[in-house]
Amino acid sequence: MPPKRQRDQAAPKPTSPTGKVEVGVSFGDDRRAQAGEHLTTAQGLRLSDTDHSLKAGARGPSLLEDFHLREKITHFDHERIPERVVHARGAAAHGTFRAYGNAESVTKAGFLAKGRETPVFTRFSTVLGSRGSADTVRDVRGFAVKFYTEEGNFDLVGNNMPVFFIQDGIKFPDVIHAGKPHPDREIPQAQTAHDTFWDFVSLHTEATHHVLWAMSDRGIPRSYRTMEGFGVHTFRLVNTAGETSLVKFHWKPVAGVHSLVWEEAQIAAGADPDFHRRDMADGIEAGAPLEYELGLQLLPDTPDETFEGIDLLDPTKIVPEELAEVVLVGKLTLDRNPTNYFAETEQVAFHTGHLVPGIEITNDPLMQARMFSYLDTQLTRLGGPNFTQLPINCPHVPVNDNLRDGMHQTAIHQGVTPYKPNGIDGDRPIADDTGYVHLPRPVEGVKVRANPVSFDDHFTQATLFWLSMSAVEKAHIVEAFTFELSKVYEMAIRERELAVLANVDGELCARVAAGLGLPAPTGKPAKGVVPSPALSQVPVAPGPIAGRVIGVVASPGADVPGIAKLRKAAEARGAVVRVIAEVGGQLGKGATKEVVERTLLATRSVEFDAVVVAGGATVTDPRLPVLLQEAFRHCKVLGAWGGGADLLRAAGIDTDAPGVLLADTMVKASAIALLDAVGLHRVWDRAVPAGEA
């Protein structure tokens, strides 16, 4: 993009603090603008490195004396008032976490004790978009859980992807600045299909693994209930004997891992920008809670903090589940919607430093910066240091912190000794070793701005991800890269990203290059990479369908009793049936009546996981063929009974195609077959050419 202000762009006239207009300032010569060719601090000090935080040794913790890290992160944290700089678009729910008890041998964290039930508040979000953006954009999703434990609040602040774009938190402002809308035009909103993002990631190749995840179907989840969550970093667990292990946290959705297809995501962004939050709120209201199991991927706490050659301090790397299984240790159930969006969802404040005994952080340089950034962010976003007193943030245990005053202080503190030690009040409150104690660990090293050599491999795990995908998932990744790069204006950026993909996989690079009409460069992909089947989302057996929506096309004269039978069977499995007709009202009479919940004018196929035409339905609205064709094109289950099949054929649907289920009447067997098919999420046989599945 043009580096300087253009003639059709203007800045406010230069004025002094008292309002005096300055004269003689020519276009492009604004003293308030950035100047000079060298990167500096805000004080004008030239910088030699802005890619690495200052650490005690290449593998050591980040140092508080790193004034550049603190200035860079602090300024970034305060860029937006009042909405969050990132994760502004969010939705949340209350619930409960119940521990199975099988984690007690590895951690003394009380909320993981057998049978312990802990209240929680979980917020899901996109990263790049503003509060007014759409839910279904291609983006990373936040998955943050606040546990109100008996030992204080514990926040597991994660994402729906297990890796991140950067290895060191000092680069976070850079990746977000690159992904956010261009600063001159404030477009595009909530998407990465633009020059600055691809300029950054094609140059900063440690982002490559995460880019593969974002371009996969993981970037457009079907629902919050069908989305995995990850703690991203490696944490350290400590048990009652003082023994340690390293761990990666996983959230496994009971409903399975499923996504939208790209056209659905685009349709939903226009037809229902609140698609995900509506799905969650409606599902909870209908009695279909969101359910996840917490999994621990336990790893030995060795001096080198690696496992099978994988550096566990590198947040751009995963440990494949085939190498270390995920042990399920508890269940999260989200079954209560917030009462007030602002008071709860908007004001909730998460922080990676909200820990409980038995859980510690590691020297992951991205995590180290987050420990500073989250608290700093809340000070501006929520108006001062007393954000912990907001009801949604209050611990469910007594608090006696000796913290006083400050903006928005709502507590009426008593006593005259908010200090320690004190002799007036018996030296209360008491501090002793029954509280949180950091496990003593040696720290040593030369002060350097550097990463360990093991952080230098930016491509092998991206190759692992690509090779682990099914044929249809690979096709979607190719389409995503092609779409995004086609929106990039600078040809040099397209070519540079193709060179990056050439180091991931030759086939991937060639297919994207063909879509862009460019020659495919050659690279040096890693050899001998073993795929991880656990990374593929395509199910091998039907899964739960709680919260899924089945649309039934009907009209006056349709088989209303048959609709009732399907509804009863669906509700028994937690799914929802919605009747679709040309006009609203109700069909049938007396005990055998059905309310029309969606008209063809007010719905699109993205709202449904399957579409069925009821026997006897007669619909002439031209919107019906569009709805049926979309559902067919998106590989959803289609069905009909009785004469309803005629409407499928009239819409051009091949009734002999996979996943098109026909029956003479709606009986129990017909309903079971339909619901089982919905449990597979999609009929991918309609999308993948024979021999490629």
Side-chain angles (χ1 to χ4, degrees):
M1 298 298 292
K4 296 181 179 180
R5 186 180 301 138
Q6 301 301 297
R7 289 287 174 181
D8 62 347
Q9 298 172 308
K13 292 182 179 180
T15 58
S16 72
T18 59
K20 180 181 178 181
V21 178
E22 296 187 4
V23 296
V25 179
S26 62
F27 176 83
D29 187 26
D30 190 337
R31 67 174 178 80
R32 300 166 302 178
Q34 293 176 322
E37 296 296 324
H38 296 278
L39 181 66
T40 72
T41 68
Q43 306 303 317
L45 176 69
R46 289 189 183 184
L47 294 167
S48 60
D49 187 336
T50 190
D51 291 336
H52 305 93
S53 55
L54 190 66
K55 311 179 189 70
R59 303 186 63 77
S62 300
L63 299 177
L64 188 61
E65 72 178 79
D66 189 349
F67 56 86
H68 175 44
L69 167 68
R70 288 186 287 113
E71 178 189 78
K72 186 176 180 180
I73 293 289
T74 297
H75 194 283
F76 173 76
D77 289 340
H78 296 238
E79 282 182 356
R80 300 290 187 276
I81 299 173
E83 82 173 24
R84 290 167 168 87
V85 179
V86 290
H87 298 277
R89 174 73 175 180
H94 295 272
T96 304
F97 177 79
R98 187 177 187 277
Y100 299 153
N102 53 335
E104 292 180 278
S105 63
V106 293
T107 178
K108 57 186 176 183
F111 77 97
L112 290 174
K114 185 174 183 179
R116 184 73 55 85
E117 291 193 359
T118 302
V120 300
F121 188 70
T122 300
R123 186 178 188 270
F124 303 103
S125 57
T126 54
V127 172
L128 290 176
S130 67
R131 279 187 60 187
S133 58
D135 278 350
T136 58
V137 296
R138 182 179 295 280
D139 199 354
V140 183
R141 298 306 191 282
F143 193 132
V145 183
K146 184 179 289 291
F147 297 81
Y148 301 97
T149 85
E150 296 177 5
E151 298 173 294
N153 289 354
F154 168 57
D155 292 350
L156 184 53
V157 194
N159 288 330
N160 72 323
M161 300 178 190
V163 292
F164 205 62
F165 288 106
I166 54 175
Q167 295 168 324
D168 192 313
I170 199 171
K171 295 296 294 180
F172 194 66
D174 297 295
V175 67
I176 298 301
H177 285 167
K180 283 283 190 177
H182 287 206
D184 55 351
R185 293 170 172 82
E186 186 64 10
I187 55 175
Q189 173 63 239
Q191 57 178 293
T192 55
H194 55 90
D195 285 56
T196 57
F197 174 79
W198 290 100
D199 180 44
F200 176 81
V201 299
S202 62
L203 290 167
H204 202 64
T205 54
E206 68 189 50
T208 304
H209 187 197
H210 191 112
V211 168
L212 263 290
W213 280 79
M215 294 300 107
S216 77
D217 291 343
R218 304 274 185 156
I220 45 175
R222 159 64 180 82
S223 165
Y224 293 139
R225 73 171 66 243
T226 63
M227 187 176 80
E228 277 189 293
F230 303 90
V232 180
H233 307 283
T234 300
F235 292 76
R236 178 169 280 107
L237 299 182
V238 185
N239 65 14
T240 54
E243 300 165 332
T244 65
S245 55
L246 299 180
V247 66
K248 286 183 175 291
F249 291 106
H250 295 244
W251 289 110
K252 297 291 187 182
V254 173
V257 186
H258 305 296
S259 296
L260 299 169
V261 296
W262 179 231
E263 188 183 31
E264 280 185 298
Q266 293 174 300
I267 291 171
D272 185 5
D274 308 304
F275 184 78
H276 284 146
R277 63 172 64 185
R278 190 188 309 279
D279 174 85
M280 177 169 67
D282 287 353
I284 290 174
E285 189 174 12
L290 284 69
E291 297 179 310
Y292 312 83
E293 289 186 289
L294 178 62
L296 305 182
Q297 198 173 28
L298 297 166
L299 307 159
D301 190 1
T302 57
D304 61 3
E305 296 171 306
T306 66
F307 180 78
E308 297 289 339
I310 302 166
D311 194 320
L312 300 178
L313 300 188
D314 184 349
T316 69
K317 304 292 193 300
I318 65 167
V319 176
E321 294 183 29
E322 290 78 11
L323 297 180
E325 68 170 325
V326 176
V327 180
L328 302 178
V329 299
K331 188 174 186 179
L332 170 66
T333 302
L334 302 178
D335 55 6
R336 287 176 290 124
N337 287 312
T339 301
N340 182 274
Y341 182 91
F342 180 81
E344 298 167 274
T345 306
E346 186 61 25
Q347 290 195 132
V348 67
F350 296 96
H351 180 22
T352 51
H354 293 167
L355 300 166
V356 291
I359 302 176
E360 297 190 0
I361 68 163
T362 59
N363 291 341
D364 174 339
L366 177 59
M367 170 69 99
Q368 293 277 319
R370 292 178 78 191
M371 293 293 286
F372 168 79
S373 182
Y374 279 71
L375 177 59
D376 182 53
T377 296
Q378 314 306 345
L379 298 178
T380 291
R381 191 175 70 83
L382 295 175
N386 293 309
F387 64 87
T388 57
Q389 296 178 14
L390 293 167
I392 194 62
N393 296 320
C394 282
H396 291 195
V397 293
V399 173
N400 194 348
D401 52 23
N402 271 354
L403 304 179
R404 291 294 185 271
D405 305 339
M407 188 174 289
H408 300 155
Q409 176 60 255
T410 59
I412 309 299
H413 292 103
Q414 302 179 54
V416 296
T417 59
Y419 55 87
K420 285 187 67 67
N422 70 74
I424 296 175
D425 200 25
D427 204 22
R428 292 189 299 270
I430 301 167
D432 58 37
D433 59 9
T434 61
Y436 192 97
V437 177
H438 292 270
L439 188 73
R441 298 182 63 82
V443 175
E444 61 179 11
V446 178
K447 290 193 294 186
V448 293
R449 291 192 184 274
N451 280 336
V453 174
S454 54
F455 279 38
D456 290 344
D457 180 2
H458 300 162
F459 301 115
T460 299
Q461 288 219 330
T463 302
L464 165 69
F465 185 80
W466 167 257
L467 295 179
S468 302
M469 297 294 100
S470 65
V472 70
E473 290 170 309
K474 286 183 176 179
H476 291 169
I477 291 173
V478 170
E479 291 169 1
F481 271 107
T482 306
F483 173 88
E484 298 253 332
L485 291 172
S486 70
K487 300 285 187 177
V488 171
Y489 291 96
E490 295 290 339
M491 192 60 64
I493 298 175
R494 296 188 187 189
E495 293 170 345
R496 191 190 308 137
E497 181 59 26
L498 287 175
V500 172
L501 296 182
N503 287 321
V504 176
D505 184 86
E507 177 197 358
L508 169 61
C509 179
R511 291 170 66 177
V512 175
L516 296 173
L518 295 173
T522 57
K524 296 181 179 179
K527 297 180 180 180
V529 177
V530 179
S532 170
L535 296 176
S536 173
Q537 291 186 203
V538 177
V540 296
I545 62 170
R548 296 305 185 103
V549 181
I550 300 166
V552 179
V553 178
S555 67
D559 178 14
V560 174
I563 298 174
K565 291 178 183 177
L566 177 58
R567 184 185 296 278
K568 181 179 180 180
E571 289 179 348
R573 293 167 68 167
V576 175
V577 167
R578 290 186 177 141
V579 175
I580 310 166
E582 291 180 279
V583 296
Q586 71 177 41
L587 307 175
K589 298 180 180 180
T592 57
K593 65 180 180 182
E594 289 285 338
V595 175
V596 176
E597 295 152 298
R598 294 291 185 272
T599 64
L600 288 169
L601 174 64
T603 194
R604 292 293 292 269
S605 66
V606 68
E607 188 175 0
F608 309 105
D609 296 283
V611 179
V612 186
V613 182
T618 55
V619 179
T620 59
D621 193 313
R623 298 180 185 89
L624 178 61
V626 174
L627 183 142
L628 295 174
Q629 290 162 8
E630 283 179 353
F632 184 85
R633 190 165 62 249
H634 301 156
C635 300
K636 294 180 178 179
V637 174
L638 287 172
W641 72 88
D646 293 337
L647 286 180
L648 291 180
R649 298 186 185 98
I653 303 300
D654 179 4
T655 54
D656 293 324
V660 181
L661 307 179
L662 305 180
D664 294 330
T665 58
M666 178 50 64
V667 295
K668 183 177 181 180
S670 305
I672 291 174
L674 176 70
L675 299 176
D676 284 347
V678 172
L680 288 169
H681 183 61
R682 306 274 179 180
V683 187
W684 291 125
D685 289 345
R686 293 209 300 261
V688 184
E692 293 186 22

